Amino acid sequence: MKYIFTLLLILSSNILFAQIDIRQIFENKTEVYFRFEISDQSELDVLTNIISIDNVEKGKTVYAYANISEFEEFLKLKYDFEILPNPSSIIEPEMSNNIEDITAWDVYPTYDAYVNLMNQFQTNYPQICKLIDAGNTVQGRKILFVKISDNVNQREAEPQFMYTSSMHGDELTGYVLMLRLIDSLLSSYGNDPRITNMINNAEIWINPLANPDGAYRSGNNTVSGATRYNFNNYDLNRNFPDPVNGVNPNQQVETTRFRTLQEANNFALIANFHGGAEVVNYPWDTWSNTGTNSRIHADQTWYQFISRLYADTCQFYSPSGYMTYLNNGITNGGAWYVIHGGRQDYTNWYRHGREVTIEISNTKLPPAGQLPSFWEYNKRSFLNYIEHIFYGINGVVTDTVGNPVRAKITIISHDYDSSEVYSDAATGFYSRMIQPGNYTLKFQAPGFFDFISNPVQISSYYSSINFNVEMIPVVPIPVELVSFAANVIDNDVHLEWTTATETNNKGFEIQRSVIPSEARKLSWEIIGFVNGKGTTTEPQRYYFVDKSLINGSYSYRLKQIDFDGSFNLSDEIEVSIESPKTFSLEQNYPNPYNPSTKISWQSPVSSWQTLKVYDILGNDVATLVDEYRKAGSYEVEFNAVETRRGVSLPSGIYFYQLRLVDPSSSSGQNFVETKKMILAK
Ligand SMILES: [Zn+2]
């Protein structure tokens, strides 16, 4: 049933606006399908951000979808429009929950039968088929892939390919055709050399149903009433990060599932299937390749070739008129109509892969009996399209010991707008499909020198050049110690070292080990860190004092650390600290003296040390030491003219007294001794 509002418009557009009852339009539905006329293509620039444009015929008639809030925005633009029946309400699709019926491929499966069939593929072909659950949808249905490859449980150095269908839940031709493709690939393995080769040398990932909540909007047993949008009423093909608009603030969980999967893998080539037209749509969708603001993909020539091959092959195996829309079955996305947030541009711009959008049937939900015909029209194109991943330049990028390296691979004087590709972090494999020509490749990865290839010649679209690259790591030149020495002064160990030039030097960790120790080599203790000078060509001198020692023998070494965490260890040097065996206070020297003299003493224990000078009347005239010190031999210089108290002492007889108190000794292992000295000016 059609609601036609065009007649009302004759009265006045304002009256029309007032008379539209949006609740009536959305009665029993979450989205509407409608059409209207535009007078200029530039009107689409505004419209594409408001509603979900589905088709633009002859640059004039727009077919679109909207949820209720989108439609309210659309109404403000006051276009004359016509509500159309939702495409999934036109026929009563034939459904089955029986796998035997379904594998005749002329019926739509119920949701449960779909899940069972996907599981059965893995059960029947465990060597080459693995079921991948990419996660749940809004309503808790599953986004399922099968991965088809030899050694299917391993990640091999092979190109990764993806087919995904029906992200618009009411465009379901591709859904059944993808299930049939999975079955055909699996059952042909070992029989058909072409398909066997594909499975042996690639990972083929197939997701038949990207929007199960939309497809089964009316419940798991029918696709009648399927919606384009997901359960939250968002168009998933307007929901991906976009080169112009960035990440969608209302990113849906289905979008997140695909993004997560694509970020964890390195899909070289993808196609996503839709319905409502019969055309292969190549990048960009967010820009047109003609007119003002046009932007042409660096690989447009290659894209046009693979799109043309797909469409022409379909045309050859179908009645006249199939897959002939727009430019005889192919189009640039933006030249048809610009959209933002499509998954095709996401893959191209953000994932550096290649993806086209294939509109596979004019009728979005054709009678199930027509599905075998669409299979006949497309089955050769399905295989041709997969095989593109074997052409062009491909290979493995490793480091010098064979570990995979994720490298950015740019074709000089060709790549721009994110058209460069990357090798896979897990395997090092890369795939660079490209039109015939001579190409120079630049490989770049953090921590490695750039590698630039000699020219590589691709002589045809079916040429394949294997080009493996070994990246040379950028290893910092070790910081070389010119000297490393230790001196014991007052029982402290003074370490000193020098370097010549330095590269990337974060600094030196000082490590100490006790000798003798059974576990000496295992018990290096970190006692300090001295910052390095980074990179410099000037000789550098460093200093560190270890004051925490008691009697014994010690080893020291330096761990020189670069900013990237790599390090070098110095040679070890050994130091002995010997404490005196007995207490003693020596006679000052010289004596008599003028104006200064030296006083030395020894303590076999750590103690509080006080050394004072008194005059002949017993007055305290100077304090030379008053602090805790460890065991050792000490010396101090006393200047009678410039005392620390700022007075100049007269000539005469003085006394100096050393008092040592060991605070840890309960017996008070004390030592007190006084000696006489003469100041003679
Ligand atoms: Zn679509």
Side-chain angles (χ1 to χ4, degrees):
M1 177 179 181
K2 290 184 181 182
Y3 299 92
I4 298 179
F5 293 91
T6 44
L7 294 175
L8 292 171
L9 191 79
I10 295 164
L11 303 174
S12 139
S13 61
N14 283 332
I15 292 171
L16 168 72
F17 185 62
Q19 292 188 350
I20 292 169
D21 185 347
I22 198 162
R23 286 165 304 175
Q24 186 196 340
I25 292 173
F26 277 85
E27 196 176 17
N28 300 322
K29 54 173 99 167
T30 55
E31 66 189 27
V32 290
Y33 185 49
F34 58 106
R35 76 173 162 212
F36 58 98
E37 304 282 310
I38 54 173
S39 46
D40 192 286
Q41 280 242 293
S42 64
E43 295 166 49
L44 296 172
D45 298 345
V46 173
L47 288 161
T48 196
N49 289 316
I50 295 175
I51 55 178
S52 177
I53 298 170
D54 183 49
N55 194 356
V56 180
E57 282 183 351
K58 297 183 168 64
K60 195 168 152 237
T61 305
V62 180
Y63 290 77
Y65 287 74
N67 63 31
I68 191 161
S69 60
E70 291 167 346
F71 200 69
E72 280 172 340
E73 288 301 305
F74 170 74
L75 290 180
K76 292 176 186 169
L77 301 176
K78 301 186 179 174
Y79 282 95
D80 177 12
F81 64 91
E82 180 183 0
I83 299 286
L84 302 171
N86 284 36
S88 64
S89 68
I90 296 168
I91 61 150
E92 193 55 45
E94 194 182 338
M95 307 294 301
S96 175
N97 63 6
N98 177 302
I99 287 184
E100 272 186 28
D101 288 350
I102 293 164
T103 50
W105 312 116
D106 56 358
V107 67
Y108 292 98
T110 63
Y111 176 72
D112 291 339
Y114 159 63
V115 174
N116 290 341
L117 180 56
M118 291 291 275
N119 277 281
Q120 186 177 296
F121 288 137
Q122 176 179 258
T123 305
N124 290 352
Y125 300 93
Q127 305 300 319
I128 55 168
C129 180
K130 183 179 168 74
L131 182 69
I132 310 281
D133 181 351
N136 286 358
T137 61
V138 173
Q139 283 191 295
R141 293 191 181 89
K142 290 179 183 299
I143 296 176
L144 297 176
F145 283 79
V146 292
K147 173 186 167 189
I148 301 173
S149 187
D150 67 336
N151 304 315
V152 71
N153 292 306
Q154 294 169 32
R155 183 99 172 251
E156 296 183 295
E158 294 175 348
Q160 293 183 298
F161 177 91
M162 184 199 294
Y163 273 143
T164 171
S165 183
S166 305
M167 66 194 301
H168 288 151
D170 59 350
E171 300 170 3
L172 291 168
T173 308
Y175 171 34
V176 176
L177 265 49
M178 286 299 111
L179 288 169
R180 186 166 184 176
L181 177 64
I182 294 167
D183 185 69
S184 171
L185 291 172
L186 294 175
S187 61
S188 300
Y189 187 70
N191 308 320
D192 179 324
R194 181 184 179 195
I195 289 173
T196 304
N197 180 62
M198 289 164 60
I199 293 173
N200 284 343
N201 294 303
E203 284 186 12
I204 301 164
W205 294 59
I206 302 179
N207 160 244
L209 186 57
N211 180 9
D213 289 357
Y216 293 98
R217 188 76 179 214
S218 306
N220 284 344
N221 291 325
T222 184
V223 294
S224 175
T227 57
R228 176 184 184 88
Y229 290 3
N230 77 340
F231 185 75
N232 289 336
N233 304 318
Y234 284 92
D235 185 338
L236 299 177
N237 205 29
R238 307 290 184 274
N239 198 243
F240 279 83
D242 183 88
V244 172
N245 292 346
V247 174
N248 191 308
N250 298 310
Q251 181 171 298
Q252 296 297 292
V253 66
E254 291 88 350
T255 307
T256 304
R257 301 301 185 210
F258 276 90
R259 287 188 63 187
T260 301
L261 186 89
Q262 288 188 244
E263 284 163 13
N265 289 280
N266 196 36
F267 291 98
L269 182 61
I270 300 176
N272 78 93
F273 289 97
H274 289 251
E278 292 167 357
V279 66
V280 181
N281 174 110
Y282 58 84
W284 300 99
D285 277 339
T286 207
W287 297 292
S288 173
N289 66 349
T290 60
T292 52
N293 303 323
S294 68
R295 207 138 155 176
I296 293 173
H297 193 285
D299 292 304
Q300 173 166 288
T301 304
W302 174 84
Y303 264 122
Q304 289 172 334
F305 173 81
I306 65 163
S307 301
R308 167 71 38 228
L309 180 69
Y310 190 99
D312 284 359
T313 306
C314 288
Q315 288 175 19
F316 190 81
Y317 291 101
S318 64
S320 85
Y322 180 69
M323 203 57 78
T324 57
Y325 192 48
L326 300 173
N327 307 303
N328 193 25
I330 74 170
T331 187
N332 164 255
W336 184 11
Y337 58 92
V338 165
I339 66 163
H340 301 299
R343 61 157 294 128
Q344 168 188 282
D345 285 7
Y346 163 74
T347 293
N348 276 273
W349 186 269
Y350 290 94
R351 304 305 312 157
H352 303 277
R354 302 292 179 264
E355 178 165 344
V356 302
T357 307
I358 299 175
E359 304 275 356
I360 202 169
S361 61
N362 285 334
T363 306
K364 291 178 184 237
L365 183 61
Q370 294 179 9
L371 294 170
S373 298
F374 287 110
W375 168 256
E376 276 306 307
Y377 306 161
N378 283 277
K379 65 182 185 184
R380 297 157 192 89
S381 294
F382 289 156
L383 300 182
N384 289 342
Y385 188 79
I386 296 172
E387 282 178 329
H388 291 301
I389 47 176
F390 299 124
Y391 306 137
I393 308 157
N394 57 56
V396 174
V397 184
T398 61
D399 64 13
T400 50
V401 294
N403 296 314
V405 171
R406 178 166 169 83
K408 177 181 176 181
I409 301 153
T410 307
I411 297 188
I412 294 172
S413 304
H414 175 88
D415 278 323
Y416 61 90
D417 278 353
S418 297
S419 67
E420 66 276 3
V421 301
Y422 282 79
S423 53
D424 184 14
T427 65
F429 186 85
Y430 74 96
S431 175
R432 184 58 173 93
M433 296 159 282
I434 197 162
Q435 72 206 61
N438 286 307
Y439 301 108
T440 303
L441 285 71
K442 181 160 79 174
F443 295 76
Q444 296 170 286
F448 295 90
F449 290 105
D450 289 359
F451 177 88
I452 296 177
S453 77
N454 291 324
V456 174
Q457 191 189 2
I458 296 295
S459 53
S460 90
Y461 282 103
Y462 302 102
S463 300
S464 177
I465 303 280
N466 186 256
F467 191 82
N468 298 330
V469 171
E470 194 178 276
M471 304 286 282
I472 308 295
V474 179
V475 178
I477 299 159
V479 174
E480 199 169 327
L481 295 178
V482 176
S483 68
F484 178 35
N487 292 300
V488 180
I489 303 171
D490 287 353
N491 283 18
D492 295 332
V493 177
H494 293 242
L495 299 172
E496 186 178 351
W497 62 99
T498 59
T499 65
T501 61
E502 295 184 11
T503 306
N504 195 27
N505 182 20
K506 183 181 181 192
F508 301 88
E509 193 174 88
I510 295 92
Q511 300 185 347
R512 184 184 62 205
S513 180
V514 178
I515 306 172
S517 162
E518 294 296 323
R520 176 185 149 190
K521 293 295 178 190
L522 300 175
S523 64
W524 288 95
E525 182 187 3
I526 299 164
I527 58 167
F529 188 85
V530 174
N531 288 330
K533 300 294 193 300
T535 299
T536 172
T537 55
E538 296 296 311
Q540 299 294 329
R541 177 175 171 276
Y542 296 93
Y543 204 74
F544 182 83
V545 181
D546 183 7
K547 294 188 172 192
S548 59
L549 296 180
I550 56 170
N551 273 359
S553 295
Y554 303 91
S555 265
Y556 291 90
R557 70 181 186 186
L558 302 171
K559 182 180 180 182
Q560 184 267 313
I561 304 172
D562 287 338
F563 284 102
D564 64 4
S566 59
F567 63 89
N568 298 284
L569 290 171
S570 72
D571 292 340
E572 298 164 21
I573 50 175
E574 296 187 358
V575 170
S576 286
I577 308 279
E578 290 244 17
S579 292
K581 302 270 189 296
T582 57
F583 293 106
S584 65
L585 176 64
E586 310 300 330
Q587 186 61 54
N588 66 307
Y589 180 85
N591 188 42
Y593 66 95
N594 180 25
S596 68
T597 187
K598 287 177 177 172
I599 302 166
S600 57
W601 67 99
Q602 297 185 331
S603 174
V605 297
S606 298
S607 60
W608 191 277
Q609 303 188 350
T610 310
L611 178 62
K612 292 190 171 202
V613 179
Y614 299 92
D615 66 15
I616 195 147
L617 299 173
N619 297 313
D620 167 3
V621 296
T623 300
L624 304 182
V625 175
D626 190 16
E627 64 188 19
Y628 183 80
R629 290 183 171 187
K630 63 197 177 187
S633 301
Y634 296 97
E635 184 179 78
V636 70
E637 184 161 11
F638 172 60
N639 189 317
V641 174
E642 299 170 21
T643 66
R644 290 181 193 171
R645 293 174 191 174
V647 295
S648 179
L649 299 174
S651 296
I653 295 172
Y654 293 86
F655 300 94
Y656 59 96
Q657 184 183 68
L658 177 68
R659 179 181 295 269
L660 304 175
V661 179
D662 177 5
S664 68
S665 166
S666 56
S667 64
Q669 191 186 5
N670 296 343
F671 172 84
V672 183
E673 190 167 337
T674 307
K675 285 190 183 294
K676 183 171 78 176
M677 61 182 174
I678 298 169
L679 172 59
K681 287 186 174 175

